[in-house]
């Protein structure tokens, strides 16, 4: 069992690819078909380009507050790639690349950061819960989804995301504990990107690792090189098997780094050093995964150039479509409070329309 | 006299009071090193050290719950909640303990503390960054709720709050954190809690607002020109609110409009209007009225304009009440 071999209490970290893209542990290299490997890579690159572009658009005043994913693509894509279609993704808010892999369209994901509720209006088939801004609260939702899967004997797992900061929250503890008590098929992915806005990981917990919290819950936990998509993949694959067999939840701590600002409102130069960023830039998940695919003869620099160009065009085109959506209609913002609008709210809407007519 | 924004007035007041009272501790998410996401506590850690200004782990319940213990044991905690939308994990601590400790212990422990948080809409933000939840707290016995609308009041009210023997929730209208500047005295002064301010005297209608909406009403008054003589009252303290000033004003004007961003049903307007009905009914020439947020979740930015109360709408509503 990987969680035994890579005991977080012994400071072990699961890795398959080193930061240059070389296999460090051949026995662990997963047998992933070529098509899936390419889909993983392409989604990571799409996520990256969409991320860099989103920041640019925001700086141009065309996009609203946006939470960058740069540097965390493997911790997202490596996870979703190891799931089945029927599994549930329970995001926090910094998982754009994972959501893309799960099947959300870029247009829709952009709409969220464009300030439009459409951005959370996923098809039920996608099994993506809406973005959850209140930190760690979604862990409990994941526990509930997993409970429902278990009692209805559905072969599904829930994968809930949280950040390093989020592990300090009562909601994290309560959700993981709940899932542990009932051996629920929940996989908790902690994207430990070292920072919660300006607050470093050390301020969140005295524990050496976040993965070791699993020990106290009586479940499995593992620390993984979160910038290694293959390591993330195998960790999730094993956790999923356990979950489906009724052996309970797993905590997977993905060691990664937020290369960008917390959000577009944040200035990371206040609280972190350029050297740290440079160190992690070298460990960029995309660099190593590309090398791995090139070494496997699945990809070439030329393919890469072409794909980057196509993807940039696609992202630009998508954003233009997003911009065409403009403002939201009045009726739309009143429509979803209840299935049937209450009489009082209907009156509020009617009065407001009356005002708009008179004001013209 | 120094020229301040609401935000800088808050920072400087914290600084002034921390210098004077070494039991004051400020803390919360990102509060220490970088001085908070809005920089309201900027420089305080550098000046007063890490014990008196610090970053907490990300956990609102711990932030407020630990403040309870600090207050019991000789400190004066000034916890910051990053945005009002994130106070909810601490709701239990605030409602179940902060509000009740004085009662529970028959006054042995009174929990003097100031819980600061930015609130309100109109900044085109993500979900949970735009609400106005004052009535959730004003509803609870044992909590004072204070909302400044100017740099002067920010300093005066915060000073009073920091010296109050009871817990005070200090809601900061983030939309106008940096919107305008005002000259305010450098030395300590207080604006009493529980006292409204007549911003503009008038004879035709009493309009009450607080926070960012005070300025919106002022704009509405400009739009109305000389036709209607509005008396504008800034409530400043939501709980305990200044009944006398409201009632006196309505006895004079005979008309009452309350404007708030908070949702309508069971909102602050409902409370104020009840008081007007109880205390000034026979003076009324029109039904006391509220203009408020709709009873829908605050929309995300691309729909938020439907929710935001504009000066035009306020002016329209004032006319409706006056021409009833
Ligand atoms: C309950 C709650 N408190 C505060 C916030 C404000 N906030 C947004 S993100 C964030 C830091 C989150 O850090 P982490 O969990 O490490 O996730 P990351 O942002 O690094 O992905 C904070 C404090 C929030 N969204 N929810
Ligand atoms: Mg983090």
């Amino acid at each position: 069992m990987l969680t035994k071999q890579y005991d977080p209490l012994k400071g072990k970290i699961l890795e398959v690819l080193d930061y240059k893209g070389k296999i460090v542990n051949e026995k662990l290299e997963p047998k992933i078909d070529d098509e899936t490997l390419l889909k993983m890579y392409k989604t990571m690159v799409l996520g990256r380009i969409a991320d860099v572009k989103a920041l640019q658009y925001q700086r141009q005043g065309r996009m609203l507050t946006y939470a960058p994913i740069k540097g965390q693509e493997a911790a997202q894509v490596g996870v979703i790639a190891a799931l089945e279609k029927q599994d549930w993704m329970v995001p926090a808010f910094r998982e754009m690349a994972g959501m893309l892999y799960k099947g959300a369209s870029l247009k829709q994901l952009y709409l969220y950061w464009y300030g439009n509720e459409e951005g959370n209006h996923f098809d039920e088939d996608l099994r993506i819960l809406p973005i959850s801004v209140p930190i760690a609260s979604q862990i409990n939702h994941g526990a509930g989804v997993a409970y429902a899967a278990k009692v209805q004997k559905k072969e599904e797992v829930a994968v809930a995301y949280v950040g390093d900061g989020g592990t300090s929250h009562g909601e994290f503890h309560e959700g993981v504990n709940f899932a542990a008590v009932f051996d629920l098929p929940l996989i908790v992915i902690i994207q430990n990107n070292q920072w919660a806005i300006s607050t470093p990981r050390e301020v969140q917990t005295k524990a050496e690792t976040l993965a070791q919290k699993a020990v106290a819950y009586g479940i499995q936990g593992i620390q993984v090189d979160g910038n290694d998509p293959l390591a993330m993949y195998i960790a999730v694959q094993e956790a999923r098997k356990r979950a489906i067999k009724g052996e309970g939840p797993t905590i997977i701590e993905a060691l990664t780094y937020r290369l960008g600002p917390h959000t577009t409102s944040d200035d990371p130069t206040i609280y972190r050093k350029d050297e740290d960023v440079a160190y992690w830039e070298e460990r960029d998940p995309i660099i190593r995964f590309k090398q791995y695919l090139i070494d496997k003869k699945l990809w070439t620099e030329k393919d890469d150039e072409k794909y980057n160009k196509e993807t940039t065009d696609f992202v630009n085109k998508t954003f233009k479509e997003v911009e065409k959506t403009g403002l939201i209609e009045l009726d739309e913002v009143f429509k979803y409070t209840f299935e049937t609008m209450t009489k009082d709210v209907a009156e509020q809407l009617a009065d407001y329309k009356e005002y708009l007519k008179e004001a013209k | 006299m120094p020229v301040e924004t609401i935000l800088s007035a808050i920072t400087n007041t914290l600084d002034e009071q921390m210098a004077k009272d070494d039991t004051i501790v400020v803390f919360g998410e990102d509060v220490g090193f970088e001085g908070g996401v809005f920089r309201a506590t900027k420089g305080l850690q550098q000046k007063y050290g890490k014990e008196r200004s610090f970053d907490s782990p990300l956990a609102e319940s711990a932030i407020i719950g630990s403040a309870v213990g600090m207050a019991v044991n000789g400190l004066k905690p000034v916890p910051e909640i990053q945005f009002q939308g994130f106070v909810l994990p601490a709701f239990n601590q605030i409602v179940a303990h902060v509000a009740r400790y004085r009662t529970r212990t028959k006054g042995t422990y009174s929990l003097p503390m100031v819980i600061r948080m930015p609130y309100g809409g109109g900044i085109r933000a993500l979900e949970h960054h735009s609400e106005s939840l004052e009535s959730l707290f004003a509803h609870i016995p044992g909590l004072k709720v204070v909302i400044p609308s100017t740099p002067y009041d920010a300093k005066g009210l915060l000073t009073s709050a920091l010296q109050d023997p009871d817990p005070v929730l200090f809601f900061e209208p983030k939309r106008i954190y940096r919107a305008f500047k005002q000259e305010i005295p450098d030395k300590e002064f207080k604006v009493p809690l529980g006292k409204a301010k007549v911003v503009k005297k008038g004879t035709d209608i009493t309009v009450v607002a607080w926070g960012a909406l005070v300025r919106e009403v002022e704009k509405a008054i400009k739009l109305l020109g000389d036709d209607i003589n509005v008396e504008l009252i800034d409530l400043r303290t939501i709980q305990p609110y200044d009944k006398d000033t409201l009632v006196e004003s309505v006895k004079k004007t005979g008309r009452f409009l309350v404007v708030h961003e908070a949702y309508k049903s069971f909102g602050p307007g409902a409370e104020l209007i009840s008081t007007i009905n109880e205390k000034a009914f026979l003076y009324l020439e029109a039904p006391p009225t509220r203009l408020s947020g709709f009873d829908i979740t605050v929309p995300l930015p691309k729909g938020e304009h439907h929710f935001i109360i504009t000066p035009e709408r306020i002016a329209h509503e004032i006319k409706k009440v006056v021409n009833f």
Side-chain angles (χ1 to χ4, degrees):
Chain A
M1 216 159 56
L2 292 172
T3 46
K4 288 282 166 285
Q5 271 169 275
Y6 293 87
D7 184 346
L9 287 173
K10 298 199 177 112
K12 295 275 179 60
I13 300 170
L14 173 66
E15 7 170 38
V16 177
L17 288 179
D18 71 7
Y19 71 97
K20 299 215 159 101
K22 300 291 169 229
I23 299 278
V24 284
N25 193 333
E26 276 177 18
K27 271 189 275 166
L28 291 181
E29 183 183 358
K31 290 179 192 57
I32 305 178
D33 62 65
D34 295 351
E35 199 187 328
T36 303
L37 283 172
L38 284 173
K39 181 177 170 194
M40 287 169 70
Y41 178 71
K42 287 180 170 178
T43 307
M44 285 167 62
V45 174
L46 169 61
R48 172 65 58 89
I49 293 174
D51 182 86
V52 172
K53 284 274 165 193
L55 244 104
Q56 282 173 10
Y57 300 138
Q58 200 278 341
R59 302 287 185 234
Q60 296 162 356
R62 296 161 71 193
M63 185 81 125
L64 296 164
T65 312
Y66 167 73
I69 59 163
K70 189 176 174 189
Q72 300 183 213
E73 296 86 352
Q76 302 174 11
V77 168
V79 173
I80 307 297
L83 300 183
E84 298 296 330
K85 195 170 182 302
Q86 71 273 22
D87 294 335
W88 295 82
M89 178 177 188
V90 184
F93 56 90
R94 201 187 296 287
E95 286 83 26
M96 185 167 69
M99 291 164 115
L100 285 167
Y101 198 96
K102 195 88 174 69
S105 72
L106 178 63
K107 178 173 176 189
Q108 193 166 8
L109 298 176
Y110 263 0
L111 272 168
Y112 181 80
W113 305 105
Y114 194 66
N116 190 321
E117 282 82 0
E118 262 319 298
N120 265 331
H121 185 193
F122 299 115
D123 265 357
E124 243 175 295
D125 298 352
L126 289 183
R127 306 228 153 167
I128 304 176
L129 263 51
I131 282 180
S132 173
V133 175
I135 299 292
S137 53
Q138 67 280 0
I139 301 295
N140 281 305
H141 309 162
V145 168
Y147 186 87
K150 183 168 173 161
V151 298
Q152 296 175 91
K153 305 204 167 31
K154 297 178 176 178
E155 200 165 288
E156 299 166 359
V157 302
V159 174
Y161 280 86
V162 70
D164 45 315
T167 62
S168 301
H169 214 275
E171 298 253 21
F172 172 83
H173 165 73
E174 294 174 33
V176 177
N177 187 58
F178 188 103
V181 165
F182 299 109
D183 293 318
L184 302 182
L186 175 70
I187 302 172
V188 174
I189 308 292
I190 303 170
Q191 290 199 81
N192 175 3
N193 64 5
Q194 325 278 339
W195 293 96
I197 312 187
S198 72
T199 306
R201 206 313 255 131
E202 304 77 68
V203 172
Q204 301 298 347
T205 177
K206 263 294 194 194
E208 286 278 322
T209 70
L210 301 172
Q212 78 194 58
K213 294 190 175 215
V215 176
Y217 297 115
I219 61 174
Q220 300 300 311
I222 187 167
Q223 211 180 21
V224 181
D225 179 343
N227 286 1
D228 173 351
L230 300 183
M232 287 304 293
Y233 184 96
I234 59 174
V236 173
Q237 204 177 33
E238 183 185 280
R240 187 178 188 281
K241 267 191 209 132
R242 263 198 305 274
I244 294 286
K245 277 195 282 177
E247 292 170 15
T250 302
I251 291 177
I252 298 175
E253 175 186 359
L255 279 168
T256 180
Y257 195 80
R258 156 164 68 70
L259 289 173
H262 169 71
T263 65
T264 43
S265 321
D266 174 48
D267 175 9
T269 61
I270 296 176
Y271 54 80
R272 70 184 188 188
K273 296 195 208 82
D274 289 348
E275 300 101 87
D276 290 352
V277 181
Y279 173 89
W280 283 97
E281 268 167 352
E282 251 191 299
R283 282 153 186 79
D284 188 320
I286 290 182
I287 298 177
R288 77 180 72 172
F289 200 35
K290 180 170 105 180
Q291 193 56 51
Y292 173 72
L293 296 179
I294 290 175
D295 291 347
K296 273 184 89 85
K297 307 259 182 297
L298 287 176
W299 197 245
T300 64
E301 285 292 355
K302 233 174 120 191
D303 292 334
D304 207 57
E305 223 172 275
K306 183 158 166 276
Y307 180 71
N308 268 271
K309 201 186 153 304
E310 283 167 13
T311 305
T312 305
D313 292 345
F314 168 71
V315 171
N316 279 327
K317 189 174 124 261
T318 304
F319 188 64
K320 288 214 180 87
E321 286 170 28
V322 166
E323 279 187 313
K324 278 199 206 115
T325 59
L327 295 175
I328 298 166
E329 296 288 329
L330 175 59
D331 285 323
E332 199 62 19
V333 304
F334 273 80
K335 220 162 152 181
Y336 300 100
T337 310
F338 292 112
E339 186 177 34
T340 312
M341 204 182 286
T342 62
K343 210 173 149 206
D344 187 39
V345 173
E347 217 172 273
Q348 292 174 33
L349 176 58
D351 285 351
Y352 184 55
K353 284 184 173 169
E354 191 61 36
Y355 158 72
L356 290 173
K357 230 193 281 162
E358 284 174 35
K360 251 193 208 152
Chain B
M1 285 202 296
V3 181
E4 309 262 22
T5 60
I6 288 180
L7 190 63
S8 71
I10 289 167
T11 312
N12 293 339
T13 306
L14 290 170
D15 187 357
E16 187 178 279
Q17 295 301 311
M18 284 176 88
K20 216 177 102 174
D21 176 356
D22 63 13
T23 65
I24 294 179
V25 211
V26 304
F27 62 103
E29 292 153 16
D30 307 287
V31 161
F33 183 77
E34 81 164 3
V37 293
F38 287 101
R39 309 292 182 265
T41 53
K42 192 175 164 202
L44 299 177
Q45 183 176 81
Q46 288 71 13
K47 198 157 166 188
Y48 299 102
K50 282 190 180 164
E51 287 185 343
R52 295 190 59 201
S53 172
F54 65 91
D55 294 328
S56 72
L58 203 174
E60 289 75 15
S61 181
I63 292 170
I64 303 303
S66 66
V68 170
M70 292 181 202
V72 160
N73 198 14
L75 293 179
K76 180 168 292 183
V78 186
E80 174 184 290
I81 297 291
Q82 202 160 75
F83 287 88
Q84 194 183 51
F86 306 131
V87 70
L88 299 177
F91 201 59
N92 184 39
Q93 288 291 343
I94 295 175
V95 175
H97 296 301
V98 174
R100 304 168 74 121
Y101 240 62
R102 179 185 285 281
T103 306
R104 188 183 297 150
T105 65
K106 292 202 152 198
T108 305
Y109 298 114
S110 59
L111 303 189
M113 67 169 78
V114 179
I115 304 176
R116 296 181 37 251
M117 66 193 81
Y119 91 105
I123 62 158
R124 291 152 51 88
L126 296 173
E127 201 185 347
H128 309 291
H129 292 72
S130 305
E131 15 284 298
S132 301
L133 303 178
E134 57 269 33
S135 58
L136 289 188
F137 298 94
H139 182 66
I140 304 297
L143 298 176
K144 293 182 181 174
V145 177
V146 174
I147 302 180
S149 76
T150 64
Y152 182 93
D153 282 353
K155 175 163 180 175
L157 289 167
L158 184 55
T159 303
S160 293
L162 289 165
Q163 297 179 13
D164 199 86
D166 283 299
V168 177
L169 299 171
F170 198 79
F171 295 162
E172 301 167 4
K174 59 184 178 294
R175 170 153 53 136
I176 54 167
Y177 256 158
R178 300 185 177 92
F180 61 101
K181 292 185 174 167
Q182 191 181 22
E183 273 194 9
I184 66 176
D186 202 6
K187 56 176 193 332
E188 180 182 305
F189 67 90
K190 287 201 248 183
V191 170
L193 305 187
K195 202 78 200 97
K197 178 170 114 187
V198 180
V199 179
K200 180 191 164 295
K201 283 202 169 304
T203 49
D204 297 335
I205 179 172
T206 302
V207 179
V208 182
W210 51 89
L213 287 187
V214 174
R215 267 165 57 92
E216 302 307 294
V217 177
E218 288 180 308
K219 290 180 202 161
I221 291 172
K222 285 218 181 81
L223 291 177
L224 290 167
D226 295 333
D227 295 349
I228 299 175
N229 192 355
V230 174
E231 177 141 308
L232 168 58
I233 295 177
D234 178 354
L235 197 60
R236 301 199 292 199
T237 299
I238 311 301
Q239 179 69 283
Y241 65 95
D242 184 354
K243 284 190 185 179
D244 293 347
T245 299
L246 296 186
V247 170
E248 280 320 302
S249 175
V250 174
K251 282 184 178 172
K252 185 176 69 178
T253 63
R255 299 181 186 88
F256 182 77
L257 173 68
V258 46
V259 187
H260 61 69
E261 273 180 60
Y263 302 126
K264 179 181 174 195
S265 293
F266 303 93
E271 167 63 29
L272 300 188
I273 287 173
S274 294
T275 290
I276 296 305
N277 281 333
E278 285 162 14
K279 307 272 182 195
F281 188 69
L282 294 177
Y283 297 82
L284 287 171
E285 293 180 36
T289 303
R290 60 201 145 151
L291 176 59
S292 69
F294 302 118
D295 285 331
I296 57 172
T297 298
V298 185
L300 291 184
K302 285 293 183 285
E304 199 190 4
H305 58 291
H306 299 303
F307 193 88
I308 293 291
I309 297 170
T310 59
E312 289 75 15
R313 234 174 109 206
I314 298 169
H316 182 265
E317 203 65 33
I318 290 174
K319 276 194 249 169
K320 254 173 59 182
V321 177
V322 171
N323 298 327
F324 175 75

